[in-house]
Amino acid sequence: MTRLNIQKTYKIFIGGKFPRTESGRFYPINNSKGELIANMCLSSRKDFRNAVVSARKAQSGWASLTAYNRSQILYRLAEMLETRRASFIEEMLLLDLSKKQAEAEVDGAIDRLVYYAGWCDKYTAVFSSVNPTASAHFNFSVHEPTGVVAAIAPEHSPLFGLISVVAPAIAGGNAVIVLASETKATSSISFAEVVQNSDVPGGVINLLTGNMAELALHMASHMDVNAFVIARKGLAEASKMAVVENVKRMIDWTGKMNIQDPYKMLELQEVKTTWHPVQTSATGGGGY
Amino acid sequence: MNSKDLLKNFKSVPVDLMGVNDRIARIKSRSVKAEAKIQGLHMALNMIDLTTLEGADTPNKVRQLCYKAMHPHDQMNGIPTVAAVCVYPSLVRTAKEALKDSDVKVAAVSTYFPSGQSTLEIKLKETQYAIDEGADEIDMVISRREFLQGNYEYVLSEIISVKELCHKNNVRLKVILETGEIGSLDEVRKASDIALLANPDFIKTSTGKIGQAANMQVTLVMLQAIWDHYQKTGVQVGMKPAGGISDAKSALHYLIMVKEILGAEWLSNKWFRFGASRLANDVLMQLAKQESGVYQAPQYFSKD
């Protein structure tokens, strides 16, 4: 007897759950021969709004985990991805990536997660500073996460590109809402299954699928988003202006996916500088 | 009439849970947009009883809340005030003074709120004190202790006593059932019917002091009880769901429910209230979104 294949329903990922888009809309993803590979959610601005609420709720808890714990969780993501390497490659082959390209996508993504896992508990030590002062004060600067980050992931690199945007943001204690690749979103959403099984608190990573032209302006103008990352060509001028209007960070990583360094984390950090009087204790001898 | 006579022919009305859920699902599937949404949001804001009921409440905290009640968001034009400020009796005078130039009412919780575990004598004394301090409205709790033992006569006679005291002083009375403590929807309906026999001005779901606060199921059952009471006696009674309603979208769903079950006569703050503290800001954020087209952030709205 022949067996009927069971198709996966690709949904979006908000607050650690897999809802359908509230709009009920979808769009087809086809391969180059025009065959239907999957139907994806065509997310609306309301899905984005819901994701911001989830991200905002989750962010402070994520940032207050110990850096070591965040590091472990990022490493766990890499472990989970490694065990599913074959299925991710298979999924991308359906969308006409070559075997070599698909392998590079998955391996690059795993390595990138491990790289930023390593930086979680080191970047503050490396980049914070004790600043010179002219009075009896300490003055030091430390990095703190900027908060909720909205990002548009690259179009042609559905997994590696996505993770290159997500990893530096969450390693530094931010929560993200990412609009995945439109035409190759299948492996982006499968990555959400990895996230859900890796102790990442719900709401820290949120993934939407849909159309950049429709959503970018809402992502850029939302007052409760602290930074906007664009890693795809073709962002409308109006969206750039909207980012400026409500004074959030605009970070352009278009074409910069191959750069792997801790400075990407710093772009999504605020620097807090604090003054503190130098304490002199009677028993301790001189100043601290 | 005394409570014994009122309860002589009392019959409990069973509630069809599936029917309730089905009706709520249909109400929730409605979408209110554009102008109707703005009108609904204004209405919801104007129906809020802005509430603070903490042991840590101080006169200054209450004054700040009163300012928020009168000026929810001065950056926008045409924003109504909330309906009332709801506080403990010892802070009524402070609130009354802070609100003296406005139409915002002062509601006081009374009758040994939130547990109700005291004697009628003390409850009446406390209510009298709140009224003397200047309360416009009294939010009383029913005695769940007696209700759960089936002593409905006691429950009703207590409500009647408090009501007589309130109405003698021209003060409106809300009766809190604390539905989270009385059990199934059948019991909620029974408690509503008993409270309604006293003809109070409002019945109210919860104190907000326990985990389970207002939800749509309980509110629907209580609204239906109000409607049946109105059909039977012609006496209009208001409704106040309290606690747990924190977003504008749910508030609109509640308004749709009121309109459908009771009709437009109930759609003013004379007959419908939301007991809430967080709802006001979400409603304001949605109104600002409608005006500016941009989704808002909580930090641009005063906390209280």
Side-chain angles (χ1 to χ4, degrees):
Chain A
M1 201 166 79
T2 52
R3 196 178 157 274
L4 188 66
N5 282 337
I6 302 299
Q7 301 279 327
K8 177 153 96 186
T9 308
Y10 288 89
K11 295 189 275 188
I12 52 180
F13 187 58
I14 297 175
K17 294 196 168 70
F18 286 95
R20 290 180 170 79
T21 164
E22 64 80 42
S23 66
R25 304 174 307 170
F26 67 96
Y27 67 95
I29 287 189
N30 298 321
N31 65 11
S32 59
K33 290 183 200 138
E35 294 158 347
L36 179 69
I37 302 300
N39 285 318
M40 306 300 293
C41 288
L42 185 57
S43 303
S44 70
R45 62 193 164 88
K46 288 188 182 168
D47 295 315
F48 175 70
R49 178 195 63 186
N50 294 341
V52 173
V53 173
S54 294
R56 177 57 68 195
K57 222 178 262 173
Q59 192 267 326
S60 59
W62 175 241
S64 64
L65 292 182
T66 62
Y68 175 64
N69 196 354
R70 278 207 308 277
S71 168
Q72 285 180 309
I73 291 172
L74 256 80
Y75 192 80
R76 177 79 178 159
L77 277 173
E79 287 178 0
M80 298 297 279
L81 203 49
E82 183 79 49
T83 60
R84 295 182 53 167
R85 189 172 177 275
S87 73
F88 270 96
I89 291 172
E90 204 176 307
E91 196 173 34
M92 281 187 267
L93 293 179
L94 290 175
L95 288 171
D96 310 313
L97 273 80
S98 71
K99 182 104 194 296
K100 209 171 150 194
Q101 280 172 322
E103 282 173 356
E105 278 283 311
V106 183
D107 295 346
I110 295 167
D111 293 353
R112 187 136 296 186
L113 283 167
V114 172
Y115 177 84
Y116 284 105
W119 270 108
C120 286
D121 58 356
K122 297 172 189 68
Y123 77 99
T124 43
V126 173
F127 296 103
S128 298
S129 60
V130 178
N131 310 315
T133 62
S135 58
H137 290 85
F138 279 125
N139 180 284
F140 43 90
S141 301
V142 290
H143 289 84
E144 288 183 350
T146 187
V148 171
V149 177
I152 296 180
E155 181 57 41
H156 299 294
S157 177
L159 188 62
F160 175 69
L162 178 82
I163 284 166
S164 299
V165 171
V166 169
I170 64 165
N174 296 293
V176 291
I177 305 123
V178 195
L179 179 64
S181 159
E182 183 173 353
T183 54
K184 295 186 165 47
T186 48
S187 46
S188 309
I189 290 302
S190 294
F191 174 65
E193 296 158 14
V194 171
V195 173
Q196 210 198 19
N197 288 305
S198 304
D199 301 326
V200 179
V204 171
I205 300 176
N206 304 278
L207 293 173
L208 303 178
T209 53
N211 182 261
M212 173 166 86
E214 180 190 340
L215 289 174
L217 184 61
H218 298 289
M219 296 173 81
S221 66
H222 197 308
M223 302 278 278
D224 205 19
V225 169
N226 303 102
F228 180 75
V229 176
I230 176 75
R232 194 186 299 181
K233 289 201 183 92
L235 182 70
E237 210 54 39
S239 298
K240 291 181 192 168
M241 287 307 294
V243 177
V244 176
E245 269 164 19
N246 59 71
V247 210
K248 63 174 69 109
R249 281 163 181 252
M250 164 98 185
I251 292 138
D252 191 348
W253 285 344
T254 313
K256 290 185 184 165
M257 288 303 106
N258 286 323
I259 300 173
Q260 173 176 273
D261 62 31
Y263 298 103
K264 276 191 157 171
M265 290 172 70
L266 296 192
E267 286 186 80
L268 295 169
Q269 300 283 305
E270 311 283 342
V271 178
K272 184 163 93 183
T273 297
T274 312
W275 288 85
H276 197 280
V278 174
Q279 298 282 325
T280 312
S281 90
T283 53
Y288 171 70
Chain B
M1 224 191 305
N2 66 28
S3 54
K4 193 170 181 182
D5 293 336
L6 282 168
L7 284 166
K8 202 181 272 168
N9 294 317
F10 185 80
K11 275 202 197 81
S12 52
V13 181
V15 176
D16 172 10
L17 179 63
M18 302 305 279
V20 169
N21 287 341
D22 186 56
R23 191 154 187 196
I24 290 170
R26 270 182 288 144
I27 287 168
K28 280 173 117 171
S29 69
R30 305 275 185 78
S31 178
V32 182
K33 289 202 187 322
E35 270 166 50
K37 183 172 180 182
I38 293 173
Q39 193 201 358
L41 291 172
H42 275 129
M43 197 181 264
L45 189 63
N46 191 231
M47 288 170 167
I48 290 174
D49 282 3
L50 213 55
T51 303
T52 182
L53 296 169
E54 303 295 334
D57 287 348
T58 57
N60 274 343
K61 188 181 173 198
V62 169
R63 279 183 204 115
Q64 205 172 333
L65 193 76
C66 291
Y67 187 85
K68 171 86 173 174
M70 294 183 287
H71 305 268
H73 195 59
D74 285 341
Q75 291 89 323
M76 285 170 67
N77 293 324
I79 298 290
T81 66
V82 303
V85 166
C86 184
V87 292
Y88 274 115
S90 56
L91 290 155
V92 165
R93 191 177 290 270
T94 309
K96 196 67 197 166
E97 276 163 20
L99 293 166
K100 63 175 181 286
D101 297 326
S102 73
D103 297 331
V104 180
K105 302 274 191 286
V106 177
V109 293
S110 179
T111 69
Y112 231 73
F113 179 94
S115 71
Q117 296 280 23
S118 187
T119 63
L120 177 59
E121 191 194 346
I122 293 176
K123 291 179 184 180
L124 288 172
K125 249 187 184 157
E126 190 192 15
T127 308
Q128 184 66 53
Y129 166 68
I131 293 171
D132 292 344
E133 290 292 289
D136 303 300
E137 297 169 359
I138 293 289
D139 288 28
M140 73 170 288
V141 290
I142 65 164
S143 171
R144 281 88 77 200
R145 180 191 63 209
E146 298 302 326
F147 179 83
L148 292 171
Q149 294 182 96
N151 195 354
Y152 305 134
E153 253 179 69
Y154 182 92
V155 175
L156 180 57
S157 68
E158 208 174 60
I159 300 172
I160 291 173
S161 305
V162 178
K163 185 203 117 171
E164 280 169 356
L165 177 61
C166 289
H167 283 196
K168 201 171 70 191
N169 290 283
N170 245 340
V171 166
R172 299 184 84 207
L173 175 69
K174 309 189 192 102
V175 179
I176 304 170
L177 308 181
E178 192 64 309
T179 54
E181 285 183 350
I182 61 179
S184 66
L185 290 180
D186 283 353
E187 295 297 300
V188 170
R189 173 74 200 220
K190 194 193 285 170
S192 308
D193 286 341
I194 291 167
L196 286 164
L197 286 174
N199 291 328
D201 299 287
F202 284 88
I203 54 175
K204 171 175 166 183
T205 59
S206 332
T207 61
K209 287 288 171 197
I210 60 165
Q212 195 195 323
N215 60 37
M216 289 187 79
Q217 291 178 322
V218 160
T219 308
L220 188 137
V221 168
M222 289 171 70
L223 289 171
Q224 194 64 53
I226 291 173
W227 178 245
D228 292 345
H229 181 71
Y230 181 66
Q231 293 296 92
K232 222 179 286 169
T233 64
V235 179
Q236 189 168 7
V237 177
M239 172 71 198
K240 176 175 171 183
I245 306 163
S246 57
D247 62 297
K249 195 175 183 179
S250 329
L252 290 176
H253 288 147
Y254 277 83
L255 293 184
I256 294 171
M257 195 152 73
V258 174
K259 174 84 194 299
E260 278 206 356
I261 297 173
L262 297 176
E265 303 85 69
W266 266 265
L267 282 180
S268 79
N269 66 18
K270 192 176 178 201
W271 299 113
F272 190 77
R273 297 282 176 85
F274 290 107
S277 42
R278 283 169 299 160
L279 175 63
N281 269 9
D282 198 61
V283 170
L284 290 168
M285 276 166 61
Q286 297 311 316
L287 281 168
K289 157 74 174 65
Q290 292 294 318
E291 194 175 285
S292 67
V294 172
Y295 285 119
Q296 303 293 308
Q299 66 263 34
Y300 300 110
F301 295 80
S302 66
K303 287 233 168 70
D304 49 39

